[in-house]
């Protein structure tokens, strides 16, 4: 039976869910509070430059293919992908960087030049990571997090010990060189927790990195947002922007609609792709599943200080993606997770999409995106932002042996306060809730409300977790739960 379904937000999870529900035959409307769709993956243009505002790494291409395959489509029907080579560079000091190339054989050669015997160890490590990837991506991440029994399969029983070890411990057992350890620990940072707190099983992220490679949609990550929007419209979804939701309306413990721009919108089912904690504040307290104390005690992934920068010249000695690990990782991690504060000497990430995409900047110029991971909930001010921009640009110039400060003709910052204002993000988090042992699978906030009928949630605070591929999967999981519930009640 056709239902009227309201979806709150237009990030990857919400748009994914909208497509699946429309495919089931429902009347689906997406309500986005901002002027443009995409949630954290929005795009903006200024002074001739184009900037993706959020996700910039295209990993796990098979998950994107699987999403479009569910609608008898291919990614190539909507956008073109470019495999980056090098995938990225990691800077450790002046004239001291490691390039990660686009295939495992080249990466093994690089490792061997840094630590004798590491090529064979890397092959063994990535083989194990691939095994975990196959289990995770082909099976576990498509489970809705309803029961702990979802994790128990013949394959996972053989991997049980990997849920109690840590990625960091496993890497440090095999490799001794600090640079190699940091390169291998980097991918799990996408999961929002320290490598020492991330279960060993999640080393499948290393296979996503070294095995599947780093890709770039031809004109930026927003290509993917546009693609899913186009698919949604083809399926009959209605998308409304400048349409914040002020309240989720409940009668007799059942959703009956939402209030948007002071107007009541009747709905048989509501799915919120907005920040989970914020979504529950749209309910009366008696209908909320999780208390403020609950959220306070969760381990959240970092917030971020972002800078979108336009340069009037080409930047040299740099790759499309670059990581700057020239300062102490442990001190920065402590400032994020253990003693929340602004790090004294932060690690940072830089992305120059115009190295690959000519549309990202005017001819002869360069667009840059700089990111510093920060603890959620800390102080945020323009003075602090400028202080830290100065820190990273000074180091960038030194490490890449060039002057870039005088070439800046456009700059915009985005930090904790903006995450709160634009996305209603709890404590201004950028990546949701960390995938630690006790925040994995069925231990994450549920896709379906325990207290309100026909109310569902999707996105990075629920299953499977943070990241663009998990968000696409999260949308599918919710749509399947809704379909199952409707069949059971018919």
């Amino acid at each position: 039976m056709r239902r009227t379904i309201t979806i709150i937000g237009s990030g990857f999870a919400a748009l994914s869910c909208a497509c699946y529900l429309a495919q089931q035959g429902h009347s689906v409307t997406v309500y986005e509070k901002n002027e443009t769709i995409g949630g954290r993956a929005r795009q903006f243009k200024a002074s001739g430059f184009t900037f993706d505002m959020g996700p910039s790494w295209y990993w796990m291409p098979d998950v994107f293919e699987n999403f479009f395959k569910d609608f008898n489509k291919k990614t190539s029907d909507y956008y073109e992908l470019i495999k980056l080579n090098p995938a990225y560079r990691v800077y450790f000091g002046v004239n001291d960087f490691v390039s990660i190339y686009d295939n495992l054989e080249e990466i093994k050669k690089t490792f061997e030049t840094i630590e004798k015997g590491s090529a064979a160890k890397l092959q063994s490590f990535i083989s194990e990571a691939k095994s975990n990837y196959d289990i995770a991506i082909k099976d576990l991440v498509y489970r809705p997090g309803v029961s702990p029994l979802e994790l128990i399969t013949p394959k996972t029983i053989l991997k049980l010990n990997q849920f109690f070890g840590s990625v960091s411990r496993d890497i440090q057992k095999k490799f001794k060189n600090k640079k190699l350890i940091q390169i291998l620990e980097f991918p799990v940072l996408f999961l929002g927790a320290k490598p020492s707190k991330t279960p060993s099983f999640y080393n499948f992220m290393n296979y996503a990195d070294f095995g599947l490679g780093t890709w770039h949609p031809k004109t930026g990550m927003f290509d993917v947002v546009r693609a899913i929007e186009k698919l949604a419209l083809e399926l009959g979804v209605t998308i409304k922007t400048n349409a914040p939701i002020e309240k989720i309306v409940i009668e007799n413990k059942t959703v009956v609609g939402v209030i948007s721009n002071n107007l009541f919108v009747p709905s048989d089912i509501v799915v919120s792709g907005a920040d989970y904690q914020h979504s529950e504040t749209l309910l009366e307290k008696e209908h909320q599943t999780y208390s403020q104390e609950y959220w306070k005690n969760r381990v959240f992934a970092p917030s971020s200080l972002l800078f979108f920068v336009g340069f009037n010249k080409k930047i040299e000695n740099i790759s499309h993606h670059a990581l700057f690990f020239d300062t102490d990782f442990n001190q920065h991690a402590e400032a994020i997770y253990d003693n929340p504060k602004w790090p004294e000497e932060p690690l940072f990430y830089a992305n120059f999409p115009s190295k690959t995409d000519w549309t990202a900047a005017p001819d002869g110029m360069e667009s840059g995106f700089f990111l510093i991971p920060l603890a959620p909930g800390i102080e945020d001010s323009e003075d602090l932002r400028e202080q830290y921009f100065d820190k990273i640009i000074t180091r960038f110039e030194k490490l890449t042996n060039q002057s870039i400060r005088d070439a800046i003709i456009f700059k915009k910052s985005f930090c904790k306060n903006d995450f709160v204002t634009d996305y209603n993000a709890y404590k201004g988090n950028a990546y949701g809730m960390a995938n630690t042992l006790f925040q994995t699978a069925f231990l994450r906030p549920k896709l379906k409300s325990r207290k309100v009928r026909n109310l569902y949630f999707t996105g990075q605070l629920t299953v499977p977790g943070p990241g663009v591929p998990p968000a696409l999967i999260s949308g599918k999981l919710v749509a399947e739960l809704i379909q199952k519930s409707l069949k059971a009640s018919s």
Side-chain angles (χ1 to χ4, degrees), residues 79-308:
Y79 56 89
E80 182 181 335
L81 285 173
I82 300 165
K83 194 174 189 183
L84 300 182
N85 191 27
Y88 54 92
R89 277 184 184 173
V90 186
Y91 289 78
F92 296 98
V94 178
N95 299 319
D96 183 9
F97 64 83
V98 176
S99 293
I100 300 300
Y101 293 100
D102 70 345
N103 65 87
L104 184 57
E105 289 307 311
E106 287 294 322
I107 298 169
K108 282 161 59 178
K109 289 177 185 176
T110 299
F111 270 49
E112 191 67 23
T113 63
I114 296 171
E115 180 181 315
K116 190 171 176 58
S118 63
K121 292 177 183 177
L122 180 61
Q123 180 64 64
S124 170
F125 181 74
I126 296 300
S127 294
E128 179 70 29
K130 182 184 186 304
S131 171
N132 288 352
Y133 187 90
D134 289 341
I135 294 170
I137 301 304
K138 294 177 181 175
D139 191 4
L140 293 185
V141 295
Y142 288 94
R143 306 291 180 96
V146 174
S147 163
L149 296 178
E150 292 173 2
L151 295 178
I152 301 173
T153 70
K155 290 181 180 178
T156 58
I157 287 173
L158 297 174
K159 304 273 187 179
L160 196 59
N161 66 315
Q162 292 194 28
F163 287 94
F164 298 97
S166 77
V167 167
S168 183
R169 186 193 67 182
D170 291 354
I171 290 171
Q172 292 182 31
K173 273 185 182 177
K174 288 182 179 289
F175 303 91
K176 302 305 175 189
N177 184 275
K178 186 178 178 182
K179 292 176 186 177
L180 299 187
I181 289 169
Q182 285 189 292
I183 290 169
L184 288 168
E185 287 183 343
F186 150 67
V188 300
L189 296 178
F190 284 107
L191 301 173
K194 289 195 291 188
S196 60
K197 298 292 185 182
T198 303
S200 302
F201 184 76
Y202 284 102
N203 68 12
F204 66 71
M205 292 296 292
N206 292 104
Y207 176 71
D209 180 4
F210 289 179
L212 298 175
T214 301
W215 302 75
H216 184 73
K218 187 175 181 180
T219 59
M221 285 294 288
F222 198 67
D223 284 2
V224 188
V225 176
R226 285 197 200 95
I228 302 176
E229 176 194 31
K230 185 178 180 185
L231 174 62
L233 295 175
E234 290 167 354
L235 291 165
V237 174
T238 299
I239 299 175
K240 297 185 177 183
T241 55
N242 294 309
I245 302 298
E246 287 105 34
K247 187 176 183 179
I248 300 172
V249 184
I250 310 300
E251 290 181 5
N252 299 319
K253 297 183 179 180
T254 304
V255 159
V256 294
V258 298
I259 294 176
S260 175
N261 288 325
N262 298 314
L263 295 174
F264 176 68
V265 180
S267 313
D268 298 315
I269 294 168
V270 171
V271 180
S272 182
D275 182 278
Y276 204 126
Q277 181 272 340
H278 166 74
S279 300
E280 287 218 310
T281 67
L282 302 176
L283 298 163
E284 301 292 342
K285 195 168 184 179
E286 64 189 281
H287 300 309
Q288 296 173 11
T289 299
Y290 302 101
S291 67
Q292 291 308 303
E293 193 65 22
Y294 171 88
W295 295 113
K296 183 180 176 182
N297 291 325
R298 296 309 95 188
V299 178
F300 272 80
S303 183
S304 295
L305 170 55
L306 310 173
F307 294 102
F308 308 99

Side-chain angles (χ1 to χ4, degrees), residues 62-80:
D62 50 329
V63 175
F64 293 87
E65 287 295 348
N66 288 340
F67 170 78
F68 285 101
K69 186 178 178 182
D70 284 342
F71 303 93
N72 296 313
K73 303 285 187 180
K74 303 185 295 291
T75 57
S76 59
D77 293 332
Y78 296 95
Y79 56 89
E80 182 181 335

Side-chain angles (χ1 to χ4, degrees), residues 265-457:
V265 180
S267 313
D268 298 315
I269 294 168
V270 171
V271 180
S272 182
D275 182 278
Y276 204 126
Q277 181 272 340
H278 166 74
S279 300
E280 287 218 310
T281 67
L282 302 176
L283 298 163
E284 301 292 342
K285 195 168 184 179
E286 64 189 281
H287 300 309
Q288 296 173 11
T289 299
Y290 302 101
S291 67
Q292 291 308 303
E293 193 65 22
Y294 171 88
W295 295 113
K296 183 180 176 182
N297 291 325
R298 296 309 95 188
V299 178
F300 272 80
S303 183
S304 295
L305 170 55
L306 310 173
F307 294 102
F308 308 99
V309 187
F311 299 93
N312 65 7
K313 68 175 185 179
K314 286 294 182 183
I315 307 302
E316 300 174 350
N317 308 325
I318 198 71
S319 57
H320 183 123
H321 293 294
L323 304 165
F324 291 83
F325 286 0
D326 55 308
T327 59
D328 191 291
F329 171 82
N330 291 325
Q331 286 186 8
H332 190 164
E334 183 181 337
I336 295 175
Y337 298 103
D338 305 323
N339 180 25
K341 61 181 180 180
W342 284 77
E344 289 186 20
E345 292 297 336
L347 283 70
F348 67 97
Y349 156 67
N351 168 30
F352 294 89
S354 47
K355 292 291 180 189
T356 305
D357 169 19
W358 65 269
T359 69
D363 189 38
M365 301 187 187
E366 204 89 84
S367 64
F369 169 106
F370 297 83
L371 181 153
I372 302 173
L374 296 173
I378 60 175
E379 177 190 2
D380 174 18
S381 70
E382 287 301 322
D383 286 346
L384 280 165
R385 296 184 190 195
E386 285 306 306
Q387 179 184 334
Y388 277 76
F389 184 72
D390 183 66
K391 279 178 183 278
I392 64 172
I393 292 301
T394 298
R395 281 167 47 202
F396 183 94
E397 290 182 323
K398 182 179 179 182
L399 293 166
T400 62
N401 192 32
Q402 65 191 308
S403 174
I404 65 168
R405 200 181 299 262
D406 293 342
I408 295 171
I409 58 174
F410 174 83
K411 177 162 73 77
K412 173 185 172 70
S413 66
F414 196 95
C415 196
K416 187 211 78 174
N417 292 346
D418 302 299
F419 280 101
V420 172
T421 301
D422 286 13
Y423 310 129
N424 295 309
Y426 182 67
K427 291 186 176 181
N429 79 82
Y431 304 104
M433 213 164 73
N435 262 342
T436 59
L437 177 61
F438 295 106
Q439 293 182 173
T440 291
F442 67 96
L443 296 173
R444 296 180 72 81
K446 301 300 182 187
L447 293 167
K448 184 176 183 179
S449 172
R450 289 182 182 143
K451 294 191 174 183
V452 179
R453 286 184 289 274
N454 298 336
L455 175 61
Y456 296 82
F457 303 88

